[in-house]
Amino acid sequence: MIVMKFGGSSVESAAAIERVAAIVRARLDRRPAVVVSAMGKTTNKLLAMASTAAAGRREEALGQLQDLREFHLRESGLLVAEAGRGEVHAALEEHFQELAELVKGLAILGELTPRSIDAISSYGERLSSFIVTHAFRALGIPAVHLDSRKVIITDRRHTQAAPLYAATYARLRETVPPLLRDRVVVMGGFIGATEDGVTSTLGRGGSDFSASLVGAGIGAEEIQIWTDVDGMLTADPTVYPGGFRLKAISFAEASELAYFGAKVLHPSTVLPAMDRKIPVLILNSRRPDVAGTRVVADAVPCRNVVKSISCKRGVTVVNIASTRMLMAYGFLKRIFEVFERYETPVDMLATSEVSVSLTIDHAARLEAICEELRGFSEVAVETGQAIICVVGENIRHTPGVGARVFKALNGVNIRMISQGASRLNLGLVVAEADLGAAVAALHQELFDDPDPEVFEA
Ligand code: ASP
Ligand code: MG
């Protein structure tokens, strides 16, 4: 058994769903359970519609609903054969009837609770999974629809619900494998239900998490995340186009990459899979023959010290110094309390006895933060910076990595340096203007002789 998850862009239209069907058909012998996101940008549109309705703009919200309805009816009409179309459309119309009732209710109530947000946003995956099931059948793939709310059981923290693992795994184990014996199971990602059966969601982008839960629950041999990139690369292609695809990467490395820019996979979403040592594959639904990147629980043996160079633009560095606090304790606490109060995450950090440099990504509340920090320290802000992070398990036990990195960056002004406690990454801050040259120089130094077992040039 395997799990195959297709994101919003992989199921954005009838044509995209046909590509998905071809990909699934080629892997029927592996007994796939298919998890799909909402079609294209449907979740965003449902949420916008809910806000419009709750703001009392009933007609406008019903207009937004009408657009969604026409879109889903049109694309499904292209997929389902003439004979079955009536039945499928009737079922879809029922969904839109319910949504219309919800919209009208919200317009009267004039408020949007997390619970009602989930009620509405769940329709994206409910519709897409239903449509994909029928598209598969029309294309000759034996498919059965499974309502995820029957198997993904969550707590009541609507819009950010956490799965109740024991209950979820028990339901998955008893429901899915018997169906997979002779059919492809199709289910919506992102959605679940509380123990009382109230619809909930796992948070935005939650379909990867759903796939990971399903895989862990049924003990799948592999989880495939089909997206629109070839996998993870040794460098961000928008910064340095000459990077290589990584054939395999450890979960720890993938997590470090995700924190600093690589948006391919959110590490927490694959935790259930990693706990059970189930490999997660990242694959491209537009180029299904590319072998993708395999994320595995344990370290991947590799000749090169570094697996990837990730980076993040638009970073702000805040330098905070206080001579008054020399030899005193409590300085860091006071600083971080300010960032906490303004709900601003800190990414990278370097400290000395009297000064702290840190980077932030969200500078929206920076002025107020600086104002408070100035109450007990001197503050200097540098905008237009970028983080570069070199990541690899081998950094931990290979001497001289720092020397190679700094030699490669000879001539680039490095604003900040940090090696994380995990010791599998080395982080640097440079001016955004220097980013391209810096990454190119690092790539040349670190990947001039790539290990063919790990990298695909
Ligand atoms: N459709 C949901 C979202 O857009 C979940 C997902 O796509 O993973 O957030
Ligand atoms: Mg998505």
Side-chain angles (χ1 to χ4, degrees):
M1 295 182 288
I2 61 170
V3 175
M4 304 176 74
K5 180 260 171 177
F6 295 91
S9 65
S10 299
V11 293
E12 69 187 358
S13 62
I17 291 174
E18 277 170 5
R19 278 195 293 274
V20 166
I23 291 168
V24 171
R25 190 202 312 280
R27 290 157 185 82
L28 284 181
D29 57 332
R30 302 191 68 189
R31 292 193 290 146
V34 173
V35 175
V36 292
S37 286
M39 294 175 70
K41 296 264 170 273
T42 299
T43 310
N44 288 347
K45 290 179 182 165
L46 286 165
L47 291 171
M49 177 187 79
S51 301
T52 311
R57 303 202 302 274
R58 182 179 182 272
E59 295 315 308
E60 190 184 332
L62 288 171
Q64 290 169 303
L65 176 59
Q66 186 60 16
D67 290 343
L68 280 167
R69 176 177 164 270
E70 279 165 16
F71 166 72
H72 283 86
L73 290 177
R74 183 184 69 230
E75 298 305 313
S76 64
L78 295 169
L79 289 160
V80 181
E82 189 84 52
R85 206 168 290 162
E87 189 197 325
V88 170
H89 275 194
L92 292 177
E93 290 288 21
E94 230 172 86
H95 286 83
F96 289 108
Q97 273 300 331
E98 291 163 14
L99 266 174
E101 299 303 327
L102 280 168
V103 164
K104 289 173 195 165
L106 284 179
I108 293 168
L109 289 171
E111 76 167 342
L112 205 50
T113 63
R115 182 173 161 159
S116 49
I117 291 174
D118 277 356
I120 291 206
S121 63
S122 70
Y123 277 86
E125 273 72 8
R126 288 160 68 185
L127 290 161
S128 66
S129 56
F130 181 80
I131 290 170
V132 167
T133 307
H134 284 275
F136 280 9
R137 287 191 195 150
L139 294 161
I141 298 172
V144 56
H145 184 239
L146 173 60
D147 187 339
S148 299
R149 297 172 299 169
K150 296 204 175 109
V151 286
I152 306 288
I153 312 301
T154 75
D155 64 17
R156 294 187 191 147
R157 287 174 29 219
H158 287 284
T159 73
Q160 279 300 338
L164 304 178
Y165 286 93
T168 298
Y169 288 163
R171 299 263 188 113
L172 284 166
R173 212 164 36 231
E174 74 203 24
T175 315
V176 178
L179 294 171
L180 287 180
R181 253 175 240 143
D182 52 2
R183 277 166 294 175
V184 172
V185 170
V186 181
M187 48 195 289
F190 178 56
I191 61 176
T194 65
E195 282 174 299
D196 321 321
V198 179
T199 300
S200 57
T201 68
L202 301 171
R204 291 307 307 273
S207 293
D208 290 345
F209 193 29
S210 304
S212 182
L213 288 170
V214 174
I218 67 173
E221 65 201 50
E222 182 176 294
I223 297 165
Q224 303 180 344
I225 307 285
W226 290 85
T227 102
D228 49 16
V229 294
D230 284 349
M232 293 194 180
L233 304 176
T234 51
D236 179 338
T238 65
V239 175
Y240 176 74
F244 312 134
R245 176 170 56 79
L246 278 143
K247 294 180 183 172
I249 188 167
S250 75
F251 172 67
E253 290 167 334
S255 305
E256 295 288 350
L257 292 177
Y259 288 128
F260 292 115
K263 286 286 169 323
V264 181
L265 198 68
H266 196 287
S268 62
T269 63
V270 297
L271 265 177
M274 292 303 130
D275 276 346
R276 302 201 168 195
K277 302 222 184 261
I278 301 170
V280 173
L281 239 79
I282 298 156
L283 295 154
N284 188 347
S285 65
R286 287 186 167 71
R287 287 161 32 100
D289 296 330
V290 175
T293 298
R294 179 177 286 268
V295 182
V296 294
D298 301 319
V300 178
C302 177
R303 212 168 61 197
N304 301 71
V305 189
V306 167
K307 292 278 180 20
S308 182
I309 305 166
S310 69
C311 53
K312 190 173 185 173
R313 291 187 178 91
V315 169
T316 301
V317 174
V318 186
N319 295 305
I320 306 152
S322 172
T323 41
R324 267 194 292 143
M325 294 293 284
L326 182 63
M327 309 291 278
Y329 47 80
F331 185 40
L332 289 176
K333 176 165 183 256
R334 286 182 77 178
I335 292 173
F336 285 110
E337 267 170 359
V338 176
F339 284 90
E340 186 188 340
R341 221 170 311 122
Y342 289 93
E343 295 172 352
T344 298
V346 170
D347 285 334
M348 221 169 102
L349 179 69
T351 69
S352 77
E353 183 77 33
V354 289
S355 71
V356 175
S357 298
L358 48 80
T359 70
I360 58 173
D361 203 5
H362 307 284
R365 306 178 80 178
L366 186 59
E367 240 167 77
I369 290 172
C370 289
E371 182 78 35
E372 288 210 25
L373 291 173
R374 288 200 175 100
F376 58 93
S377 57
E378 279 164 35
V379 183
V381 170
E382 294 174 285
T383 55
Q385 306 295 303
I387 291 178
I388 300 176
C389 198
V390 300
V391 174
E393 303 261 8
N394 290 349
I395 292 177
R396 230 187 291 239
H397 39 252
T398 313
V401 182
R404 284 177 70 188
V405 165
F406 294 124
K407 199 185 94 214
L409 294 181
N410 186 16
V412 177
N413 186 4
I414 300 171
R415 314 284 171 109
M416 195 171 145
I417 303 164
S418 156
Q419 175 155 21
S422 62
R423 293 194 296 135
L424 51 77
N425 74 67
L426 182 67
L428 310 161
V429 175
V430 301
E432 254 183 289
D434 293 333
L435 182 63
V439 173
L442 283 172
H443 203 277
Q444 214 147 46
E445 167 65 28
L446 298 166
F447 296 107
D448 79 43
D449 180 23
D451 186 339
E453 294 290 320
V454 180
F455 305 100
E456 179 80 53

